Amino acid sequence: MSKYYVNKFLYTIDRDPEWVASYRHDPRGTLSRWEKEIGGWINPTEQTSWLEFTPAEREALATHDYVWLFENGAHFFLNLTLFIALFDDEYAAESGPLAFQLEMAQKLGHWTGREYPSVAL
Amino acid sequence: MAELTAVLASTHHPFYYKATTSPEEERPPYAADWQRKVEAYRETLTAAEPDILVMVGADHFHQLWLDNYPQFLIGKQETYDATFYNEEREFGIPKFTLNGDIELSRYMHEQLLGKDFDFAVSHELKIDHSIICPIITVRPDADLPVVPIYTNIFVPPLPSPKRFYQLGRAIREVIDSFPSDKKVAAIGTGHLSLELGGPRQFGEHGPDPLFDADAIEWLSTGNIDAILANVTHESMAGSGNATHGFMDLLLMMGIAGPDVHADYVDQLDLFHTREMYMTWYPNKNQSQLDAAARAAETAQASTGPIYASDPAWEQFRTAQGRPAAAAGS
């Protein structure tokens, strides 16, 4: 897994409200646009030439699959905060405060008591 | 020489601002108790009459990123902006502008390099909630110049617990030798046991209440030997995947010194984590101790260590002596 590139996606989306909104409503299209516009960005004039997602990473990001991302070593803080941005408001409106966070915990429940996947790069 | 008048180590729960400034009908049920404790804690800093704040925290991937992530970093600026978009979004924390203290930043940077702490430096550092939360809680007027220090508690491999403690000791030496007649307070925030983005997050209590019990005893008694004997990166991960923020509390204990008992200790079980507020007065005077006593009376806190044998943790003990959260796993 190119964990760095996955983390770069989570990090750069989470810090920009327009990308957050785009990723919420059109994850697959946003992923393609992000790869063209942001993925290789170092600074306004310099680009990285070699970063790319594996097919499994691309599919996980395109389907908002935060469980797969956790299980494959995406950084836990980035994985949490971006998906909170996507889903917290509507979950809270429907089921009360922290409903999304609690569902996320429950979906990761099979990791309780086990050594978590490493977030080290 | 400068006088170090207070050392504060606390958690930095980013929900505090919103919980205590929302309209009364929207405040969570724990907000009033939390606010009473925090405002009492604030008085322990006020009594130290600081002129400058040395602030220790950790950027949460707001500005520092994996393309160039430092283990330790110091800001050296006249002015610092605070609060990133996603912290406003998630926690409702407002924006701030803080004055810096270039003279102390420069002195701190040079002296720490001389003590073999090879710090990165930033001249365009924006402060995140690890530092603005304690401003909100203990200095809400944001009227003092700051020297921000960031540590890496997020990007493995991390510096060792011993290194965090040694850095605290070095910072203490630098403050004590700073050629100034100003009063300096050191304020640092981190975590007790904490889980973020994992299966134990946002439970009824923190992921490992008995680690919290030990941690508060070790910190409040200055028991560095017990910490170094018991706390490793692996053991912290076992107590919650974000528990490594404990090392910033350890750093603050390093500033206070070994075998030094804290002068004020409070804690609060706040659904998914345990809040902790601790103050040492390295050059204590009677007015500071009186302030700590008044604050402790208001908050039902302690003017000395809180031990792991405190009845507050009895509910988490099982027959095996393990925390309920771990025993169920």
Side-chain angles (χ1 to χ4, degrees):
Chain A
M1 178 178 177
S2 49
K3 283 199 267 188
Y4 173 78
Y5 204 40
V6 170
N7 285 334
K8 185 175 183 178
F9 178 85
L10 300 173
Y11 168 67
T12 52
I13 297 288
D14 189 50
R15 68 196 315 206
D16 184 324
E18 293 179 15
W19 279 104
V20 169
S22 177
Y23 184 50
R24 170 69 183 92
H25 298 292
D26 178 20
R28 197 172 296 276
T30 302
L31 187 62
S32 297
R33 184 164 66 90
W34 181 89
E35 288 182 271
K36 293 186 183 74
E37 297 180 15
I38 304 292
W41 193 92
I42 292 178
N43 66 36
T45 56
E46 297 293 338
Q47 295 277 313
T48 299
S49 65
W50 47 271
L51 286 169
E52 63 179 352
F53 295 119
T54 66
E57 290 165 354
R58 185 175 280 108
E59 189 61 19
L61 291 170
T63 56
H64 292 157
D65 190 349
Y66 57 78
V67 173
W68 188 95
L69 293 169
F70 176 91
E71 292 178 335
N72 287 273
H75 197 283
F76 58 85
F77 188 80
L78 297 165
N79 199 37
L80 173 64
T81 58
L82 177 56
F83 284 99
I84 284 177
L86 264 55
F87 297 119
D88 185 40
D89 284 349
E90 61 192 68
Y91 272 67
E94 178 129 345
S95 305
L98 303 175
F100 171 72
Q101 289 88 331
L102 293 170
E103 179 174 301
M104 184 181 195
Q106 190 241 329
K107 286 185 173 177
L108 293 169
H110 54 291
W111 284 95
T112 305
R114 299 165 60 190
E115 184 176 350
Y116 297 172
S118 174
V119 300
L121 298 176
Chain B
M1 294 298 125
E3 181 186 359
L4 178 64
T5 56
V7 180
L8 275 68
S10 85
T11 44
H12 64 248
H13 201 313
F15 289 177
Y16 177 79
Y17 179 84
K18 193 172 184 180
T20 56
T21 59
S22 296
E24 195 64 44
E25 65 276 11
E26 294 177 18
R27 294 188 197 190
Y30 50 79
D33 195 33
W34 196 8
Q35 185 169 5
R36 178 173 57 83
K37 284 178 170 287
V38 164
E39 292 182 354
Y41 182 52
R42 183 181 305 160
E43 294 306 312
T44 72
L45 176 66
T46 306
E49 301 178 328
D51 300 307
I52 308 172
L53 303 177
V54 172
M55 308 285 300
V56 176
D59 182 85
H60 296 66
F61 291 131
H62 289 123
Q63 178 167 352
L64 306 183
W65 171 240
L66 299 170
D67 61 349
N68 191 3
Y69 203 92
Q71 298 294 358
F72 300 117
L73 177 146
I74 187 166
K76 198 188 291 185
Q77 297 163 215
E78 298 279 0
T79 306
Y80 298 89
D81 289 314
T83 310
F84 289 78
Y85 142 70
N86 51 7
E87 296 173 295
E88 293 181 88
R89 177 194 74 204
E90 203 164 315
F91 312 130
I93 299 174
K95 291 191 178 299
F96 283 83
T97 304
L98 302 175
N99 289 328
D101 189 297
I102 289 283
E103 190 181 358
L104 181 53
S105 276
R106 182 177 292 118
Y107 183 78
M108 182 76 73
H109 189 200
E110 291 171 355
Q111 293 294 311
L112 288 174
L113 285 167
K115 296 176 185 297
D116 297 329
F117 284 93
D118 302 330
F119 265 60
V121 63
S122 176
H123 298 276
E124 191 175 356
L125 184 68
K126 186 167 181 173
I127 300 303
D128 95 343
H129 69 269
S130 67
I131 285 180
I132 211 60
C133 284
I135 291 292
I136 289 168
T137 51
V138 296
R139 198 73 184 186
D141 290 341
D143 58 343
L144 294 176
V146 301
V147 173
I149 290 173
Y150 272 148
T151 67
N152 174 18
I153 60 167
F154 263 139
V155 180
L158 308 174
S160 68
K162 183 178 181 181
R163 190 67 171 157
F164 274 74
Y165 176 74
Q166 290 172 330
L167 176 57
R169 297 304 301 146
I171 290 171
R172 170 63 179 272
E173 292 175 7
V174 175
I175 294 172
D176 283 345
S177 68
F178 180 45
S180 166
D181 60 0
K182 291 183 175 171
K183 295 179 179 177
V184 178
I187 302 172
T189 64
H191 307 291
L192 297 171
S193 70
L194 181 65
E195 177 101 338
L196 296 173
R200 294 172 288 180
Q201 69 175 359
F202 294 97
E204 188 177 349
H205 307 286
D208 193 344
L210 293 186
F211 169 81
D212 300 345
D214 286 335
I216 290 174
E217 174 176 319
W218 295 332
L219 293 169
S220 64
T221 57
N223 192 345
I224 183 59
D225 292 338
I227 292 175
L228 296 184
N230 289 283
V231 178
T232 64
H233 292 145
E234 291 73 24
S235 75
M236 285 186 281
S239 294
N241 65 349
T243 304
H244 301 81
F246 170 73
M247 292 191 293
D248 276 338
L249 304 180
L250 171 58
L251 189 160
M252 301 313 294
M253 191 192 96
I255 298 177
D259 302 319
V260 177
H261 285 197
D263 296 295
Y264 181 89
V265 185
D266 197 10
Q267 55 86 25
L268 172 66
D269 188 6
L270 197 68
F271 67 104
H272 71 282
T273 185
R274 186 171 292 272
E275 294 292 280
M276 185 211 78
Y277 307 105
M278 202 169 292
T279 301
W280 295 262
Y281 293 121
N283 300 288
K284 54 179 71 70
N285 60 42
Q286 194 57 48
S287 69
Q288 292 165 351
L289 296 176
D290 290 345
R294 286 194 304 274
E297 186 173 358
T298 300
Q300 296 177 295
S302 171
T303 52
I306 293 179
Y307 293 90
S309 56
D310 190 281
W313 284 281
E314 281 307 312
Q315 63 175 308
F316 301 111
R317 295 188 191 282
T318 67
Q320 290 74 38
R322 289 298 305 147
S329 64

